[in-house]
Amino acid sequence: MAIRPYPSLAGRTLRLEPFERAHLEPLYALALSAPDAFRYTSTPTTPDQKERYFAKVLADQAAGRAYPFTMLEGGRIVGTTRLTDLHPEYRNAELGYTWIALERQGSAVNVESKLLMLGFAFEALGLIRVQLNVDSRNARSQASIRALGATFEGTLRSHQIMKDGFVRDTMVFSILEREWPELKPRLEARLEQKLAGRTAE
């Protein structure tokens, strides 16, 4: 299951590069540019949060617990995403910690990043399950996850304490390996529509 070092993932307009220290400051600047847009996420918006957040990214990456990626569009950093909480013995992981520059939300970026990440998870790593977690208050992310074809499994009550101290309920979705052959062409079709500018996220 493990691929180390892991590759960059190239799409039509998006490239996902393995996270490295050089990406840290541009990503932090992106988070600071629109803190309200990331209020339901763990995205760091203070120096202390930044230190803890990226220290964990690097530690999990080095230990093989996560595959963090930085999103580049036209050579410009526009976000980040990762496969994390890896369980090789059960062949499952979580796809999450995705945040995208405010001006690129609603574009093809999210759809293409999910297409690339799910392809990596099921086709390269051989996972049988990918889980997606979302704050129960985050209606936009819930809609995006449902649009992927993910199945809602339930809500974990009082599951996490957020950066502002709020105790959140977490909605759990999943996509299974056996569902991927049907979902992949649907995602590819959505990407085509996005690139043609015919739909909004």
Side-chain angles (χ1 to χ4, degrees):
M1 174 178 148
I3 299 177
R4 302 289 172 178
Y6 57 103
S8 59
L9 309 176
R12 295 275 299 279
T13 64
L14 196 67
R15 188 173 184 85
L16 303 185
E17 293 285 351
F19 177 80
E20 55 187 65
R21 288 184 183 274
H23 301 156
L24 192 157
E25 292 299 337
L27 285 171
Y28 183 53
L30 185 156
L32 292 180
S33 69
D36 285 347
F38 304 119
R39 64 188 180 280
Y40 297 138
T41 74
S42 61
T43 306
T45 54
T46 69
D48 285 347
Q49 290 173 6
K50 168 190 169 185
E51 183 176 345
R52 291 193 300 271
Y53 185 95
F54 288 109
K56 178 168 174 52
V57 172
L58 289 164
D60 287 350
Q61 182 186 47
R65 292 188 295 266
Y67 290 91
F69 289 90
T70 300
M71 304 178 189
L72 291 96
E73 186 182 43
R76 183 172 71 95
I77 289 177
V78 295
T80 183
T81 189
R82 78 184 90 148
L83 281 173
T84 189
D85 197 20
L86 287 157
H87 293 279
E89 68 276 28
Y90 302 131
R91 292 169 57 197
N92 65 53
E94 177 189 348
L95 171 54
Y97 296 92
T98 301
W99 30 291
I100 297 168
L102 183 61
E103 70 273 13
R104 301 307 295 144
Q105 293 181 12
S107 71
V109 169
N110 186 52
V111 175
E112 186 159 32
S113 70
K114 293 298 192 293
L115 181 61
L116 291 169
M117 291 292 283
L118 289 168
F120 179 62
F122 292 123
E123 297 167 18
L125 297 181
L127 300 187
I128 61 172
R129 170 189 167 87
V130 171
Q131 180 168 308
L132 302 99
N133 296 340
V134 63
D135 191 312
S136 62
R137 301 168 295 170
N138 194 339
R140 184 187 182 98
S141 288
Q142 291 167 38
S144 293
I145 291 171
R146 291 183 191 278
L148 296 175
T151 297
F152 175 60
E153 297 186 332
T155 300
L156 303 176
R157 300 179 299 163
S158 296
H159 178 237
Q160 285 183 297
I161 301 175
M162 302 301 287
K163 58 194 176 190
D164 61 359
F166 181 84
V167 180
R168 90 172 199 184
D169 294 340
T170 297
M171 297 175 68
V172 178
F173 295 80
S174 69
I175 297 173
L176 305 183
E177 178 188 35
R178 64 175 180 264
E179 299 165 341
W180 180 234
E182 179 182 348
L183 296 183
K184 182 178 180 179
R186 287 168 50 184
L187 262 183
E188 291 172 334
R190 285 188 63 216
L191 176 60
E192 289 293 339
Q193 292 176 330
K194 286 287 187 180
L195 293 175
R198 294 197 295 267
T199 63
E201 189 76 344

